[in-house]
DNA sequence: GTCTATACACCGATAGAC
DNA sequence: GTCTATCGGTGTATAGAC
């Protein structure tokens, strides 16, 4: 697939990625992590109110996951052989996401432990919804969950 | 793996499964579906109250997924090449689970549409939690989600 | 039914020419 | 840098003896 997409032969790809398959996979991971930060996490570091930041993140999530049609790359990489090679990196990315949301909720006046649980709950829902939508082919579920998310995160 | 586990040579396995890999995978799917029905869904058809049935199902789910240490086979089969071969069967299984929970909630006096959404929410949480626990290696999250689940499903 | 032997395609990777 | 050719290994499956 990479060969076809780039127009390069296999050997040329191995020239750019001396670490072979693992190097190519890491490049994809880094690329997606960078995208996610730019397209989603960025809103959590805005100057606006915590409520507004949460709302913006949820909207951004809809686009990032193509309203349920994209899979989560982190979830993919936590399976099979990839898990052996990238577990630490995947874990770190996910923890960063949870921590960032937690911090915003704390700034919004929510108790630290509750903030952490709500943050976990939100990401659990994203992940679970992507699975349901993928299997059932009902994008409306993704929309429903994402619409409810800001309120569930910030309500007192 | 199958050869080692059964003590049979490859050719013998192909004798029992003339459909090859696909036949073997289907056997695994059917086996797990049967287990799930016997170990989890069974409680939803009990003679007790809807509340009690939901509670029993949630307890059974904890064991079935080894408190977060097992992956969901349906979720696995919805990825990659397997999805092409088994999408319909996977979808049917998942719909059956959602429908069964929905029916119990309706019997418990919850409006049909809300019942359906709550049922989806519960299964979303199971799926999402399995991903988080697998990546973060924090089984406590699974316990927390499962403990809250009966209340969230049946509360008025 | 089970085995050994084999076919065949693909994957990950490298060698070496240009 | 890019290519063709090739290697070793593995996965899926079959042939044919017993």
């Amino acid at each position: 697939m990479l060969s076809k997409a780039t127009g390069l032969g296999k050997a040329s790809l191995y020239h750019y990625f001396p670490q072979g398959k693992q190097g190519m996979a890491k490049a994809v991971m880094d690329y997606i992590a960078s995208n996610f930060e730019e397209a989603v996490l960025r809103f959590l570091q805005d100057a606006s109110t915590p409520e507004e930041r949460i709302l913006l993140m949820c909207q951004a999530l809809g686009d990032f996951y193509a309203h349920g049609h994209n899979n989560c790359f982190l979830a993919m990489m936590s399976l099979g052989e990839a898990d052996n090679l990238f577990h630490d990196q995947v874990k770190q990315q996910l923890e960063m996401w949870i921590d960032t949301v937690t911090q915003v909720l704390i700034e919004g006046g929510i108790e630290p432990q509750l903030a952490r649980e709500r943050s976990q709950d939100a990401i659990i829902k994203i992940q679970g919804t992507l699975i349901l939508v993928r299997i059932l082919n009902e994008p409306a579920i993704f929309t429903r969950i994402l619409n409810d998310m800001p309120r569930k995160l910030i309500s007192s």
Side-chain angles (χ1 to χ4, degrees), chain A:
Chain A
M1 291 169 63
L2 295 177
S3 185
K4 191 175 174 183
T6 57
L8 290 174
K10 258 195 296 192
S12 299
L13 290 171
Y14 276 94
H15 171 73
Y16 289 107
F17 297 97
Q19 306 306 318
K21 185 187 177 180
Q22 185 168 358
M24 302 180 207
K26 177 158 172 22
V28 175
M29 279 203 62
D30 291 346
Y31 175 77
I32 294 183
S34 166
N35 266 13
F36 189 70
E37 213 157 333
E38 209 176 297
V40 178
L41 297 183
R42 177 166 65 85
F43 294 108
L44 294 177
Q45 280 127 22
D46 259 14
S48 49
T49 66
E51 288 80 4
E52 183 70 10
R53 281 181 268 167
I54 291 293
L55 193 64
L56 288 171
M57 179 193 73
C58 289
Q59 288 169 358
L61 280 173
D63 294 329
F64 188 80
Y65 288 115
H67 305 282
H69 290 292
N70 280 351
N71 288 328
C72 175
F73 191 71
L74 282 185
M76 303 286 184
M77 296 296 279
S78 70
L79 292 168
E81 194 195 352
D83 184 50
N84 301 328
L85 295 176
F86 296 106
H87 185 90
D88 289 349
Q89 198 175 344
V90 167
K91 186 176 176 187
Q92 199 185 331
Q93 290 285 331
L94 187 65
E95 281 172 346
M96 200 246 286
W97 185 11
I98 296 174
D99 289 347
T100 310
V101 174
T102 304
Q103 274 310 311
V104 174
L105 295 182
I106 291 176
E107 283 180 49
I110 296 169
E111 291 300 313
Q113 190 185 337
L114 182 59
R116 175 152 218 87
E117 290 181 0
R118 287 194 184 179
S119 174
Q120 288 171 350
D121 289 353
I123 289 158
I124 282 170
K125 279 184 202 163
I126 293 286
Q127 298 297 333
T129 304
L130 290 175
I131 291 178
L132 255 73
V133 168
R134 171 169 96 215
I135 295 177
L136 301 178
N137 197 24
E138 289 186 31
I141 300 179
F142 191 79
T143 309
R144 174 171 73 79
I145 296 293
L146 218 48
N147 280 343
D148 283 352
M149 190 162 285
R151 194 175 44 76
K152 298 223 171 180
L153 275 168
I154 61 184
S155 72
S156 319

